[in-house]
């Protein structure tokens, strides 16, 4: 047997409420006659040059050689997209960053039935992923990004090697001037080889034993150069014929400074290993079902940490390898327990308990030692540093509930849950010892914890008289000491005392939503159902589906009007405010019919029928999704008054219009109305 599927998708722009701008003869009056004039119309409704093209192919081939079978699986995904250009980058939209990515997955699965009570699976798999962010013209030729001669050949004019044109300025706002290179280059390659083995064995009538293991070995390479424009000017400054090197905050491992493969040394690729073994016994009795299991996890991140993180030595401005030691592999045994039993013939009680671990993002522990040394020696306020020797997050989860059937067509399920999560990642300041040749620096450590608890309710109406319905509702409460690894960044940076302060009590997390729910109604005619018109039942296999979703808001913290810029001064306890509730109605009308060997389905799908502009984010000072509050703040009012008194009301109004256009955040709103017409064919 075989299966093949393909998918091609082209999106001109991301979906969102995008606001345009129309600026005519705008210039900075403070510059007088020497000021450049800005004239452009930025279209509303979409983002310039931010299209995405996706191609996906997947399939499998299965051979049945009873009593064993072989299944080959494979998939290929290619993503070509552009980063787009906002209002201030209007003139350089043609050079918006280019993103290319491709992912390949494949596996071979062998299954053998040993007898009527036992079988095993053996799986070998490969995963390969590569992506690159680059300039669409110069692509991988990073030495050309800042080369003024090569830029002039493609219609870009630089003032000199690595020197961009003078930016356009108006009322303190900066706009790109002309077509300039995309000043960023990054690529990452990940390969993984692994396998799984699993055995199921039925022992007697009451025990179903499952056991197995899995293993994955990775090779990860990364090369990220934040400013390739600087390469050309640095290269030309060296004597003719001499070799050159560049380390301008280069983040690399598995690649050398020039972007070529590097397989050894301190900057060699990362080879993390993830492995596990599990055993589970499912015990089935007439009035009780119990699942009990143990899982042993082994994680070797192939990373290093400092012998003494408070006194680090450097050689040629790079971390001294002698200061590094390997991070020990992490192992944990996690028990899992679940059981269910019928209270009556229509009521079933169920409960689960388990411990789980999850390694933090590998980006949080992997960073090229060149940029690590730069961060530590510079003492910079880095919001996304790296962690040295981080342990996995540990979660303990509880679940308790029951299912109830009411008559023949109604059923509901109520489940309560509780999660306790420890060793989450938190940013901290690592102090230096007296006499160390570096200042304090920023790093991720295991420090945050959180709890998530709530209750889920599900109600189902089986189809009767052509109608089926379901209602899902969840009440949850997510609280902790940090919403993300960098939640404490400003506490470190802007502590009111010499010692940074950190949350010691839990508070609502940024992503907390107390109420979420969905109501689904489906009205559908079956085969040969519905009224007959001219001898034909035209409503056969015709249906209408309506989905209504609602959520309460996210938590956020209100700041004072003194909080514009880098400062953050709260006016209330952490995350004491919430964004508004959201409501969205989607509808789909479809009809299925047969055309020879094909089954066809034609549909009209309208997402957000009422075009509701749901607010999902706000500005922290104003608490408003549209206005950040600057123009009415004391500082903003003073700025507007100064412009009006010096240049006139016309220029003050222009400043306010430009400020409103440039601070508009489309990410504060959910998706607008979308209408999709489609045909689905099955053979």
């Amino acid at each position: 047997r075989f299966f093949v599927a393909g998918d091609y998708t082209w999106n001109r722009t991301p979906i969102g409420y995008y606001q345009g701008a129309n600026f005519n003869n705008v210039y900075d009056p403070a510059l007088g006659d020497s000021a450049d004039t800005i004239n452009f119309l930025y279209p509303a409704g979409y983002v310039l040059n931010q299209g995405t093209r996706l191609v996906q192919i997947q399939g499998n081939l299965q051979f049945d050689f009873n009593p064993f079978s072989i299944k080959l699986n494979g998939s290929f995904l290619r993503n070509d997209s552009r980063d787009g250009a906002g209002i201030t980058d209007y003139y350089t939209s043609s050079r918006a960053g280019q993103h290319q990515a491709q992912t390949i997955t494949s596996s071979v699965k062998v299954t053998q039935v040993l007898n009527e009570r036992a079988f095993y699976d053996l799986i070998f798999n490969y995963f390969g992923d590569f992506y690159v962010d680059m300039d669409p013209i110069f692509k991988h030729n990073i030495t050309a990004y800042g080369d003024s001669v090569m830029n002039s050949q493609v219609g870009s004019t630089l003032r000199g090697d690595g020197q961009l044109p003078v930016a356009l300025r108006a009322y303190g706002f900066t706009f790109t001037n002309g077509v300039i290179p995309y000043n960023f280059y990054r690529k990452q390659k990940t390969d993984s080889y692994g396998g799984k083995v699993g055995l199921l064995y039925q022992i007697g009538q009451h025990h179903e034993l499952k056991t197995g293991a899995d293993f994955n070995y990775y090779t990860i390479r990364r090369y990220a150069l934040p400013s390739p424009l600087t390469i050309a000017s640095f290269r030309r400054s060296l004597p003719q014929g001499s070799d050159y090197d560049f380390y301008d905050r280069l983040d690399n491992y598995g690649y050398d400074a020039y972007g070529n493969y590097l397989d050894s040394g301190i900057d060699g690729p990362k080879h993390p290993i993830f492995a596990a073994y599990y055993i589970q016994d499912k015990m089935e009795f007439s009035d009780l079902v119990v699942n009990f299991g143990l899982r042993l996890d082994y994680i070797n991140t192939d990373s290093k940490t400092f012998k003494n993180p408070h006194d680090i030595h450097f050689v040629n401005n790079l971390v001294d390898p002698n200061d590094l030691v390997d991070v020990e592999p992490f192992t944990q045994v996690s028990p899992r327990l679940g059981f269910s039993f019928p209270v009556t013939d229509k009521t079933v009680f169920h409960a689960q308990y388990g411990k789980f671990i999850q390694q933090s993002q590998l980006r949080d522990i992997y960073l090229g030692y060149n940029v690590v040394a730069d961060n530590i020696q510079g003492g910079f306020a880095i919001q996304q540093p790296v962690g040295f020797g981080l342990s996995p997050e540990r979660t303990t989860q509880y679940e308790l509930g029951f299912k109830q059937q009411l008559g023949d067509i109604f059923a509901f399920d109520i489940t309560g849950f509780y999660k306790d999560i420890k060793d989450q990642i938190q940013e901290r300041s690592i102090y230096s010892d007296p006499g160390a040749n570096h200042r304090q620096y920023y790093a991720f450590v295991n420090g945050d914890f959180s709890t998530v608890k709530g209750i889920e309710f599900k109600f189902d109406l089986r189809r009767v008289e052509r109608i089926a319905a379901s209602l899902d509702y969840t009440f949850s409460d997510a609280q902790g000491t940090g919403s993300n690894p960098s939640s404490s960044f400003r506490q470190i940076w802007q502590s009111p005392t010499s010692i940074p302060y950190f949350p010691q009590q839990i508070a609502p997390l940024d992503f907390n939503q107390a109420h979420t729910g969905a109501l689904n109604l489906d009205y559908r005619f079956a085969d040969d159902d519905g009224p007959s018109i001219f001898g034909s039942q035209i409503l056969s296999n015709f249906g209408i589906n309506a989905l209504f979703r609602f959520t309460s808001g996210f938590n956020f913290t209100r700041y004072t009007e003194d909080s514009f810029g880098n400062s953050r001064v709260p006016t209330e306890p952490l995350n004491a405010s919430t964004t508004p509730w959201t409501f969205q109605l989607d509808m789909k009308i479809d009809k299925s019919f047969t055309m020879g060997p094909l089954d066809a389905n034609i549909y009209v799908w309208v997402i957000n029928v009422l075009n509701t502009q749901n607010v999902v984010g706000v500005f922290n000072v104003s608490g408003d999704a549209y206005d950040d509050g600057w123009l009415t703040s004391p500082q903003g009012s003073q700025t507007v008054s100064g412009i009006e008194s010096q240049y006139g009301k016309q220029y003050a109004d222009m400043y306010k219009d430009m400020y409103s256009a440039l601070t508009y955040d489309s990410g504060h709103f959910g998706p607008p109305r979308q209408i999709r017409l489609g045909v689905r064919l099955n053979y």
Side-chain angles (χ1 to χ4, degrees), residues 168 211 265 277 308 359 374 388 390 402 409 452 542 641 653:
L168 296 171
T211 186
Y277 169 77
N308 182 0
Q359 180 60 46
D374 200 26
F388 305 97
L390 294 178
F402 69 92
I409 60 174
V452 181
F542 172 83
S641 298
D653 291 340

Side-chain angles (χ1 to χ4, degrees), residues 91-107:
Y91 286 114
T92 192
S93 61
S94 63
R95 293 289 283 274
Q98 182 174 3
H99 176 81
Q100 288 183 349
Q102 67 179 35
T103 302
I104 298 174
T105 61
S106 61
S107 67

